[in-house]
């Protein structure tokens, strides 16, 4: 911009359109270590109780190539990364990693997305960036605060505001909340707020553009519901392979949202 305080990067790419036709599972399989099959670490929410196996430790996987480092630039501080549904998540992750490394104690980037497809790509990109930043020495974790513009019920224009954190350790359990295509984001937000008030761990496990939008909206609404109690609600997101109870417990790749609360 003219004042040099903020810069928008458009991450639309059309050279990778072939990859966009693949599902997340296909992309991860094709880019994982030599196409080796990865075992799920547990079962997604919705399974019949008492029939699941014990959870195994999360396998370290590298589904995407490591983003390249770029030279530091003061101009990157306060960057807004604009994402569309054609954005390649790995390219977004590379941009996030570069900005986070360069930001130091300065302004962290925001990721701007509109609509389920773009928001899904944005969340995937953040999850990939988080994985790589946690492998830095010392490790850096990133948490997200979703800020929606306009009406939450019908709108889907969100700014995903990133901030640095100490490493967060939260793995999926069958007690996690879940979001589906038809989940009411207001009811889900009420469930999140209830668990926050109870002081327990709160997490969501989901996959697919509309369920991811529902999950992000519900977390933003939970922030509104608890704002009078001086609670600051954010989330950390990661990929996890889990058994899908709706598909005969076949393995599938989910996005796992750990909901985090700071008391002001």
């Amino acid at each position: 911009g003219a004042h040099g305080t903020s810069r928008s990067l458009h991450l639309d790419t059309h050279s990778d359109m072939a990859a966009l036709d693949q599902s997340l599972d296909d992309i991860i399989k094709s880019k994982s270590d030599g196409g080796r099959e990865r075992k799920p670490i547990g079962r997604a929410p919705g399974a019949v109780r008492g029939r699941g196996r014990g959870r195994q430790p999360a396998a370290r996987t590298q589904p995407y190539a490591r983003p390249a480092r770029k030279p530091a630039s003061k101009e990157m501080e306060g960057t807004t990364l604009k994402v569309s549904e054609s954005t390649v998540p790995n390219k977004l992750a590379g941009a996030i990693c570069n900005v986070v490394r360069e930001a130091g104690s300065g302004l962290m980037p925001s990721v701007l997305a509109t609509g389920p497809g773009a928001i899904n790509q944005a969340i995937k990109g953040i999850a990939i960036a988080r994985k790589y930043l946690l492998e830095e020495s010392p490790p850096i974790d990133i948490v997200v605060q979703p800020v929606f513009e306009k009406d939450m019920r019908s709108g889907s224009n969100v700014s995903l505001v990133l901030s640095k954190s100490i490493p967060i350790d939260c793995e999926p359990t069958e007690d996690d909340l879940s979001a589906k295509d038809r989940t009411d984001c207001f009811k889900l937000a009420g469930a999140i707020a209830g668990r926050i008030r109870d002081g327990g761990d709160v997490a969501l496990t989901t996959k697919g553009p509309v369920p991811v939008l529902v999950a992000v909206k519900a977390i933003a609404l939970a922030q509104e519901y608890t704002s009078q109690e001086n609670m600051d609600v954010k989330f950390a997101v990661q990929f996890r392979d889990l058994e899908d109870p709706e598909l005969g417990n076949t393995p599938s790749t989910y996005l796992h949202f750990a909901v985090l609360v700071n008391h002001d």
Side-chain angles (χ1 to χ4, degrees):
H3 302 291
T5 55
S6 176
R7 194 169 65 146
S8 294
L9 301 181
H10 287 267
L11 290 155
D12 298 340
T13 59
H14 298 284
S15 58
D16 296 87
M17 289 304 286
L20 294 171
D21 294 332
Q22 297 176 294
S23 72
L24 180 57
D25 295 351
D26 294 335
I27 292 168
I28 289 178
K29 270 197 197 99
S30 69
K31 298 198 179 183
S32 62
D33 306 336
R36 206 165 58 232
E37 189 180 351
R38 299 186 335 199
K39 297 243 183 329
I41 60 163
R43 188 173 298 172
V48 177
R49 293 278 160 177
R51 288 167 55 186
R53 296 190 311 275
R55 285 189 294 137
Q56 299 151 357
R60 287 179 71 77
T61 56
Q62 189 157 339
Y64 293 87
R66 177 176 293 284
R69 285 177 183 268
K70 295 199 178 139
S73 157
K74 273 286 181 196
E75 292 176 15
M76 297 293 272
E77 288 200 6
T79 299
T80 299
L81 303 171
K82 292 187 178 176
V83 174
S84 79
E85 61 186 16
S86 64
T87 296
V88 176
N90 198 49
K91 294 196 172 181
L92 171 61
I96 291 170
C97 286
N98 287 323
V99 180
V100 168
R101 289 185 192 113
E102 292 153 13
S105 58
L107 290 168
M108 289 280 286
S110 291
V111 179
L112 194 65
T114 302
I119 291 169
N120 193 37
Q121 299 302 81
I123 295 295
K124 289 183 202 170
I126 292 168
I128 299 163
R130 182 175 175 234
K131 177 185 186 306
Y132 289 126
L133 290 167
L134 281 168
E135 291 173 356
E136 302 265 303
S137 183
I140 303 167
D141 210 342
I142 48 174
V143 296
V144 187
Q145 188 154 45
V147 180
F148 280 85
E149 293 180 18
K150 301 177 188 164
D151 174 43
M152 187 85 75
R153 187 174 289 279
S154 58
S156 61
N157 187 2
V158 69
S159 178
L160 300 164
V161 182
L162 306 186
S163 53
K164 288 184 185 176
S165 167
I166 58 169
I168 294 146
D169 183 21
C170 180
E171 291 299 329
T173 77
E174 290 183 33
D175 291 326
D176 287 353
L177 297 166
S178 65
K180 311 278 186 198
D181 280 353
R182 296 178 182 273
T183 300
D184 183 316
C185 62
F186 292 89
K187 287 181 181 172
L188 182 56
I192 293 169
R195 289 193 180 190
I196 288 171
R197 291 188 185 106
D198 289 343
D201 290 339
V202 190
L204 285 153
T205 305
T206 193
K207 61 176 178 173
V210 172
V212 166
L213 170 61
V214 170
V216 173
K217 275 190 176 184
I219 294 168
L221 283 163
Q223 167 72 80
E224 285 186 18
Y225 294 172
T226 57
S227 60
Q228 298 299 311
E229 295 145 74
N230 296 319
M231 293 181 183
D232 191 30
V233 180
K234 299 179 181 179
F235 66 82
V237 65
Q238 64 185 343
F239 290 117
R240 281 294 177 259
D241 291 337
L242 300 167
E243 294 172 353
D244 188 337
E246 294 183 359
L247 296 174
N249 293 331
T250 54
S252 191
T253 302
Y254 286 80
L255 285 162
H256 177 254
F257 295 77
V259 180
L260 311 161
V261 183
N262 284 329
H263 297 268
D264 294 339

